[in-house]
Amino acid sequence: MTGLLPELLPEQLPDHCQQPNRTEITAMAQRTPVPTVQIVKGNGSAESWPTEFWHQLDDGRVVCDVCPRHCRLREGKRGACFVRMAEHGQIVLTSYGRSSGFCIDPIEKKPLNHFYPGSSVLSFGTAGCNLGCKFCQNWSISKSREIDTLGATAMPEQIARAAKAYGCDSIAFTYNDPVIFMEYAMDCAQACHAHGIHSVAVSAGYICDAPRQAFYRQMDAANIDLKAFTEHFYHKICSGHLAPVLDTLLYLRHETRVWFEITTLLIPGENDSPAEIAAMSRWLMDNLGPDVPLHFSAFHPDFKMMDTPPTPPATVLQARRIALEAGLHYVYVGNIFDQAGDSTYCPGCGQRVISRNWYALGDYSLTENGCCQHCGFHLAGRFTAYHGSFGRRRIPIQIRA
């Protein structure tokens, strides 16, 4: 297969989106010519890319072994994720090199508050998902069954060059779960590593053991959606199970060096009781320790839960208090405005070391090694010399051959 490296085309931005302290991102993209390269890999095509994790049954069906669904597929049939399909007696990926769109975001939007704060990330996803969350807030992408959703095309080396040209520190696989397009994501991560660019997975963690190891071997950071802390919720609301997600968290914490944070979307009457939040916080403390950041986000009505009311801000703030009381060091709020809940505090002296106003960073009191400038305490995370905040901007871009 061959592909041409892209011409980078930033969409027109309003004046208020201009970036203080990071103007080099747009300037670099405008002045840097992007060379043309040839990409060659195997005998696959973007419509039919070979995969590794599957096995055949005696009756001719092929079983996908990527996630706990273990879809059993006859020839030409697609799995629950939509993008993995049985073809010629194997499982192929039908979305390799295709995306629902590309956008430059602040890293805090993933959300990752302890992974090179203030930096920018080139974000993209594909189509489909291996869970069936009734509250999905990216449902137009993750639940899509229309191949036209994948209107953008870019091969891994193209994406790596685009991220470098725009001055992005990382790329993020997001909007839908990257485990279902893991071959594409892993190849993108490898291409980016060759250019000194980090890879970030935003995932529900619903993946089997062997592919989990292969996938996270290529990732530098992750945000894992821990959607609730009951099997009932996962079965009723997500058409899945809780245990594989907990297995992913344990694996990331104890068997990798991947930096990861956790997000829980609080849905009124479903997963927001103080008892459940306390139980979850205790499990996180006992099994992962105090230093894995936890984000509680407010729900807004969407997809198949339009009749469920939005989460009151008081519920989100209460959840944060419960988790802090359980001993977790870094607990944040999302989808509501609360500067205290957005900011990072030193566990050693209690001083605020990173102030945040939504995704914009203000006062920053950490050394390049992540030590508190007030007391010297070393905060958990990945840090470097701070060069300013990317801010709240969201910059859609096109990557064209």
Side-chain angles (χ1 to χ4, degrees):
M1 175 182 294
T2 62
L4 295 179
L5 211 62
E7 176 186 354
L8 302 178
L9 302 172
E11 293 189 358
Q12 194 68 30
L13 297 173
D15 289 342
H16 71 270
C17 287
Q18 295 308 308
Q19 166 59 38
N21 301 322
R22 289 271 175 141
T23 54
E24 71 275 8
I25 291 175
T26 300
M28 184 184 298
Q30 290 172 343
R31 69 174 180 260
T32 303
V34 183
T36 298
V37 299
Q38 187 177 51
I39 303 168
V40 179
K41 175 170 179 176
N43 297 314
S45 70
E47 294 77 24
S48 185
W49 197 264
T51 69
E52 177 181 355
F53 298 102
W54 53 270
H55 68 275
Q56 291 182 323
L57 297 176
D58 292 339
D59 63 5
R61 291 180 297 170
V62 186
V63 181
C64 180
D65 294 320
V66 167
C67 90
R69 287 187 174 277
H70 294 293
C71 293
R72 293 163 169 78
L73 305 176
R74 296 198 181 277
E75 182 70 16
K77 298 299 183 181
R78 295 174 180 264
C81 67
F82 175 66
V83 297
R84 305 182 83 83
M85 183 176 75
E87 182 178 272
H88 304 310
Q90 63 177 331
I91 298 294
V92 299
L93 176 63
T94 63
S95 60
Y96 193 103
R98 304 183 68 181
S99 171
S100 54
F102 299 90
C103 190
I104 301 175
D105 293 318
I107 192 68
E108 287 77 15
K109 193 174 182 179
K110 298 306 98 188
L112 287 172
N113 282 357
H114 290 240
F115 188 75
Y116 304 111
S119 65
S120 61
V121 55
L122 176 58
S123 304
F124 66 98
T126 61
C129 188
N130 61 337
L131 285 175
C133 302
K134 296 179 181 179
F135 54 85
C136 183
Q137 299 182 358
N138 286 324
W139 64 269
S140 62
I141 295 173
S142 67
K143 306 306 177 187
S144 174
R145 294 298 181 266
E146 298 294 333
I147 205 68
D148 288 345
T149 299
L150 302 175
T153 302
M155 299 301 285
E157 183 65 18
Q158 293 175 286
I159 291 170
R161 296 290 183 94
K164 184 175 182 179
Y166 272 96
C168 296
D169 296 85
S170 310
I171 63 167
F173 314 108
T174 183
Y175 309 136
N176 70 317
D177 203 305
V179 303
I180 68 170
F181 59 93
M182 60 179 294
E183 293 79 11
Y184 183 33
M186 291 162 60
D187 286 351
C188 288
Q190 288 182 325
C192 284
H193 289 156
H195 292 272
I197 297 165
H198 307 294
S199 57
V200 174
V202 180
S203 172
Y206 203 62
I207 187 171
C208 294
D209 182 60
R212 179 190 293 127
Q213 295 179 41
F215 180 73
Y216 283 107
R217 196 174 298 128
Q218 304 300 333
M219 299 300 134
D220 300 294
N223 186 287
I224 304 297
D225 285 335
L226 179 55
K227 297 177 184 295
F229 202 63
T230 65
E231 175 66 13
H232 175 76
F233 181 99
Y234 267 87
H235 178 72
K236 171 189 171 186
I237 305 294
C238 301
S239 301
H241 300 284
L242 171 61
V245 183
L246 299 183
D247 288 343
T248 294
L249 294 175
L250 291 168
Y251 173 76
L252 289 173
R253 177 63 181 88
H254 298 291
E255 299 185 48
T256 78
R257 298 189 66 185
V258 175
W259 176 257
F260 71 102
E261 305 184 16
I262 298 168
T263 297
T264 298
L265 183 73
L266 298 176
I267 304 176
E270 300 292 352
N271 65 348
D272 65 338
S273 72
E276 181 173 342
I277 293 166
M280 181 179 75
S281 299
R282 287 194 300 271
W283 186 92
L284 296 175
M285 183 68 184
D286 292 344
N287 290 275
L288 308 183
D291 289 333
V292 177
L294 174 61
H295 303 255
F296 288 112
S297 292
F299 164 86
H300 63 77
D302 218 327
F303 196 39
K304 295 182 178 180
M305 298 187 71
M306 294 298 295
D307 294 333
T308 301
T311 310
T315 299
V316 183
L317 296 175
Q318 179 186 52
R320 180 173 182 263
R321 287 194 298 271
I322 291 171
L324 289 171
E325 290 169 359
L328 299 181
H329 286 165
Y330 312 107
V331 187
Y332 300 98
V333 301
N335 294 346
I336 65 170
F337 179 75
D338 183 79
Q339 196 162 4
D342 277 343
S343 298
T344 299
Y345 295 85
C346 174
C349 65
Q351 292 292 314
R352 186 172 66 185
V353 290
I354 305 176
S355 67
R356 295 184 182 86
N357 186 343
W358 295 102
Y359 305 128
L361 275 59
D363 295 336
Y364 192 96
S365 302
L366 294 177
T367 68
E368 63 181 16
N369 297 320
C371 293
C372 174
Q373 292 180 355
H374 303 287
C375 72
F377 185 92
H378 187 268
L379 276 71
R382 303 287 185 268
F383 303 96
T384 189
Y386 181 61
H387 297 296
S389 171
F390 182 76
R392 305 183 196 179
R393 288 198 299 166
R394 183 177 189 272
I395 307 176
I397 66 168
Q398 297 177 18
I399 299 179
R400 295 202 308 217

Coordinates of all heavy atoms in Angstrom, one line a residue, residues 11-54:
E11 N -8.3 24.9 9.5 CA -9.6 25.6 9.1 C -9.5 27.0 9.7 O -8.7 27.4 10.6 CB -10.7 24.9 9.7 CG -11.0 23.5 9.1 CD -12.3 22.9 9.5 OE1 -13.0 23.5 10.3 OE2 -12.6 21.8 9.0
Q12 N -10.3 27.9 9.1 CA -10.3 29.3 9.5 C -10.7 29.4 10.9 O -11.7 28.8 11.3 CB -11.3 30.1 8.6 CG -11.1 31.6 8.7 CD -9.8 32.1 8.1 OE1 -9.3 31.5 7.2 NE2 -9.3 33.2 8.7
L13 N -10.0 30.2 11.7 CA -10.3 30.3 13.2 C -10.7 31.7 13.5 O -10.2 32.7 12.9 CB -9.1 30.0 14.0 CG -8.5 28.5 13.9 CD1 -7.2 28.4 14.6 CD2 -9.5 27.6 14.4
P14 N -11.7 31.9 14.4 CA -12.0 33.2 14.9 C -10.9 33.8 15.7 O -10.1 33.1 16.2 CB -13.3 33.0 15.7 CG -13.2 31.5 16.1 CD -12.5 30.8 15.0
D15 N -10.9 35.1 15.8 CA -9.8 35.8 16.5 C -9.7 35.3 17.9 O -8.5 35.3 18.4 CB -10.1 37.3 16.5 CG -9.9 37.9 15.1 OD1 -9.3 37.3 14.2 OD2 -10.4 39.0 14.9
H16 N -10.8 35.0 18.6 CA -10.6 34.7 20.0 C -9.9 33.4 20.2 O -9.6 33.0 21.3 CB -12.0 34.7 20.7 CG -12.9 33.5 20.3 ND1 -13.7 33.6 19.2 CD2 -13.0 32.3 20.8 CE1 -14.4 32.4 19.1 NE2 -13.9 31.6 20.0
C17 N -9.7 32.6 19.1 CA -9.0 31.3 19.3 C -7.5 31.5 19.1 O -6.8 30.5 19.2 CB -9.5 30.3 18.2 SG -11.2 29.7 18.5
Q18 N -7.0 32.7 18.9 CA -5.6 32.8 18.8 C -4.9 32.4 20.1 O -5.4 32.7 21.2 CB -5.2 34.2 18.4 CG -5.7 34.6 17.0 CD -5.3 33.5 16.0 OE1 -4.1 33.2 15.9 NE2 -6.2 33.0 15.3
Q19 N -3.8 31.7 20.1 CA -3.1 31.1 21.2 C -2.0 31.9 21.8 O -1.0 32.1 21.2 CB -2.6 29.7 20.7 CG -1.6 29.0 21.6 CD -2.2 28.7 22.9 OE1 -3.4 28.4 23.0 NE2 -1.5 28.9 24.0
P20 N -2.2 32.4 23.1 CA -1.1 33.0 23.8 C 0.0 31.9 24.1 O -0.4 30.9 24.6 CB -1.7 33.6 25.0 CG -2.9 32.8 25.3 CD -3.4 32.3 23.9
N21 N 1.3 32.3 23.9 CA 2.4 31.4 24.3 C 2.6 30.2 23.4 O 3.5 29.5 23.6 CB 2.3 31.0 25.8 CG 2.2 32.1 26.7 OD1 2.9 33.1 26.5 ND2 1.4 32.0 27.8
R22 N 1.7 29.9 22.5 CA 1.8 28.7 21.7 C 1.6 29.1 20.2 O 1.1 28.3 19.4 CB 0.8 27.6 22.1 CG 1.2 27.0 23.4 CD 2.2 25.8 23.2 NE 2.6 25.3 24.5 CZ 2.7 24.0 24.7 NH1 2.5 23.1 23.8 NH2 3.2 23.5 25.9
T23 N 1.8 30.3 19.8 CA 1.6 30.7 18.5 C 2.5 30.0 17.5 O 2.1 29.9 16.3 CB 1.9 32.3 18.3 OG1 3.2 32.5 18.7 CG2 0.9 33.1 19.1
E24 N 3.5 29.3 18.0 CA 4.4 28.6 17.0 C 3.7 27.4 16.4 O 4.1 26.9 15.4 CB 5.6 28.1 17.8 CG 5.4 27.0 18.8 CD 5.0 27.5 20.1 OE1 4.7 28.7 20.3 OE2 4.9 26.7 21.1
I25 N 2.6 26.9 17.0 CA 1.9 25.8 16.5 C 1.3 26.1 15.1 O 1.6 25.4 14.1 CB 0.8 25.3 17.4 CG1 1.4 24.7 18.7 CG2 -0.1 24.3 16.8 CD1 0.4 24.4 19.8
T26 N 0.5 27.2 15.0 CA -0.1 27.5 13.8 C 1.0 28.1 12.8 O 1.0 27.7 11.6 CB -1.2 28.6 14.0 OG1 -2.2 28.1 14.8 CG2 -1.8 29.0 12.6
A27 N 1.9 28.8 13.3 CA 3.0 29.4 12.4 C 3.8 28.3 11.8 O 4.1 28.3 10.6 CB 3.9 30.3 13.3
M28 N 4.1 27.3 12.6 CA 4.9 26.2 12.1 C 4.2 25.4 11.0 O 4.8 25.1 10.0 CB 5.3 25.2 13.2 CG 6.2 24.1 12.8 SD 6.5 22.9 14.1 CE 7.3 24.0 15.3
A29 N 2.9 25.2 11.2 CA 2.1 24.5 10.2 C 2.0 25.3 8.9 O 2.0 24.7 7.8 CB 0.7 24.2 10.8
Q30 N 2.0 26.6 9.0 CA 1.9 27.4 7.8 C 3.1 27.5 7.0 O 3.1 27.6 5.8 CB 1.4 28.8 8.2 CG -0.1 28.8 8.7 CD -0.4 30.2 9.3 OE1 0.4 31.0 9.6 NE2 -1.7 30.4 9.4
R31 N 4.3 27.4 7.7 CA 5.5 27.7 7.0 C 6.3 26.4 6.7 O 7.3 26.4 6.0 CB 6.4 28.6 7.8 CG 7.0 28.0 9.1 CD 7.9 29.0 9.8 NE 8.5 28.5 11.0 CZ 8.1 28.8 12.2 NH1 7.1 29.7 12.3 NH2 8.6 28.3 13.3
T32 N 5.9 25.3 7.3 CA 6.7 24.0 7.2 C 6.2 23.2 6.0 O 5.1 22.7 6.1 CB 6.6 23.2 8.5 OG1 7.1 24.0 9.6 CG2 7.5 22.0 8.4
P33 N 7.0 23.0 5.0 CA 6.6 22.1 3.9 C 6.6 20.7 4.4 O 7.6 20.3 5.1 CB 7.6 22.4 2.8 CG 8.8 22.8 3.6 CD 8.3 23.6 4.8
V34 N 5.6 19.9 4.1 CA 5.6 18.5 4.5 C 6.0 17.6 3.4 O 5.4 17.6 2.3 CB 4.1 18.2 4.9 CG1 4.1 16.7 5.5 CG2 3.7 19.1 6.0
P35 N 7.1 16.9 3.5 CA 7.6 16.1 2.4 C 6.7 14.9 2.1 O 5.8 14.6 2.8 CB 8.9 15.6 3.0 CG 8.7 15.5 4.5 CD 7.8 16.7 4.8
T36 N 6.9 14.4 0.9 CA 6.2 13.2 0.4 C 7.0 12.0 0.7 O 8.2 11.9 0.5 CB 6.0 13.4 -1.1 OG1 5.2 14.5 -1.3 CG2 5.2 12.2 -1.6
V37 N 6.3 11.0 1.2 CA 6.9 9.7 1.5 C 6.0 8.6 1.0 O 4.9 8.8 0.7 CB 7.2 9.5 3.0 CG1 8.1 10.5 3.6 CG2 5.9 9.4 3.8
Q38 N 6.6 7.4 0.9 CA 5.9 6.2 0.5 C 5.7 5.3 1.7 O 6.7 5.1 2.4 CB 6.6 5.5 -0.6 CG 5.8 4.4 -1.2 CD 6.5 3.7 -2.4 OE1 7.7 3.4 -2.3 NE2 5.9 3.6 -3.5
I39 N 4.5 4.8 1.9 CA 4.3 3.9 3.0 C 4.0 2.5 2.5 O 3.1 2.4 1.6 CB 3.1 4.4 3.9 CG1 3.4 5.9 4.3 CG2 2.8 3.5 5.0 CD1 2.2 6.5 4.9
V40 N 4.7 1.6 3.0 CA 4.5 0.2 2.5 C 4.3 -0.7 3.7 O 5.1 -0.7 4.6 CB 5.7 -0.3 1.7 CG1 5.4 -1.7 1.2 CG2 5.9 0.6 0.5
K41 N 3.2 -1.5 3.7 CA 3.0 -2.5 4.8 C 2.2 -3.6 4.3 O 1.1 -3.5 3.9 CB 2.3 -1.8 6.0 CG 2.0 -2.9 7.1 CD 1.6 -2.3 8.4 CE 1.3 -3.4 9.3 NZ 1.0 -2.9 10.7
G42 N 2.8 -4.8 4.4 CA 2.0 -6.0 4.1 C 1.2 -6.0 2.8 O 1.6 -5.4 1.9
N43 N 0.2 -6.8 2.8 CA -0.7 -6.9 1.7 C -2.1 -6.4 2.0 O -3.1 -6.6 1.3 CB -0.8 -8.4 1.2 CG 0.5 -8.9 0.8 OD1 1.2 -8.2 0.0 ND2 0.9 -10.1 1.2
G44 N -2.2 -5.6 3.1 CA -3.5 -5.2 3.5 C -4.0 -3.9 2.7 O -3.2 -3.3 2.0
S45 N -5.2 -3.6 2.9 CA -5.8 -2.4 2.3 C -6.6 -1.7 3.5 O -6.9 -2.4 4.5 CB -6.7 -2.7 1.1 OG -7.9 -3.3 1.5
A46 N -6.9 -0.4 3.3 CA -7.6 0.3 4.3 C -9.0 -0.4 4.6 O -9.5 -0.3 5.6 CB -7.7 1.7 4.0
E47 N -9.5 -1.0 3.5 CA -10.9 -1.6 3.7 C -10.8 -3.0 4.3 O -11.8 -3.6 4.7 CB -11.5 -1.7 2.3 CG -11.9 -0.3 1.7 CD -10.7 0.4 1.1 OE1 -9.7 -0.3 0.8 OE2 -10.7 1.6 1.0
S48 N -9.6 -3.6 4.3 CA -9.4 -5.0 4.7 C -8.0 -5.2 5.3 O -7.2 -5.8 4.6 CB -9.7 -5.9 3.5 OG -9.7 -7.2 3.9
W49 N -7.8 -4.8 6.5 CA -6.5 -4.8 7.1 C -6.3 -6.1 7.9 O -7.1 -6.3 8.8 CB -6.2 -3.6 7.9 CG -4.8 -3.3 8.2 CD1 -4.1 -3.7 9.3 CD2 -3.8 -2.7 7.3 NE1 -2.8 -3.3 9.2 CE2 -2.6 -2.7 8.0 CE3 -3.9 -2.1 6.1 CZ2 -1.4 -2.1 7.5 CZ3 -2.8 -1.5 5.5 CH2 -1.5 -1.5 6.2
P50 N -5.3 -6.9 7.8 CA -5.1 -8.1 8.6 C -5.0 -7.8 10.0 O -4.4 -6.8 10.4 CB -3.8 -8.7 8.0 CG -3.6 -8.0 6.7 CD -4.2 -6.7 6.8
T51 N -5.5 -8.7 10.9 CA -5.4 -8.5 12.3 C -4.8 -9.8 12.9 O -4.7 -10.9 12.2 CB -6.8 -8.2 12.9 OG1 -7.6 -9.4 12.8 CG2 -7.4 -7.0 12.3
E52 N -4.6 -9.8 14.2 CA -3.9 -10.9 14.9 C -4.8 -11.7 15.8 O -4.6 -12.9 15.9 CB -2.7 -10.4 15.6 CG -1.9 -11.4 16.4 CD -0.7 -10.8 17.2 OE1 -0.4 -9.6 17.0 OE2 -0.1 -11.6 17.9
F53 N -5.6 -11.0 16.5 CA -6.3 -11.7 17.7 C -7.7 -12.3 17.2 O -8.7 -11.6 17.4 CB -6.4 -10.7 18.8 CG -5.1 -10.3 19.3 CD1 -4.6 -9.0 19.0 CD2 -4.3 -11.1 20.1 CE1 -3.3 -8.6 19.5 CE2 -3.1 -10.7 20.6 CZ -2.6 -9.5 20.3
W54 N -7.6 -13.5 16.8 CA -8.9 -14.2 16.4 C -8.5 -15.7 16.3 O -7.3 -16.1 16.2 CB -9.4 -13.7 15.0 CG -8.4 -13.7 13.9 CD1 -7.5 -12.7 13.6 CD2 -8.1 -14.8 13.0 NE1 -6.7 -13.0 12.5 CE2 -7.0 -14.3 12.1 CE3 -8.5 -16.1 12.8 CZ2 -6.5 -15.1 11.1 CZ3 -8.0 -16.9 11.8 CH2 -7.0 -16.4 11.0

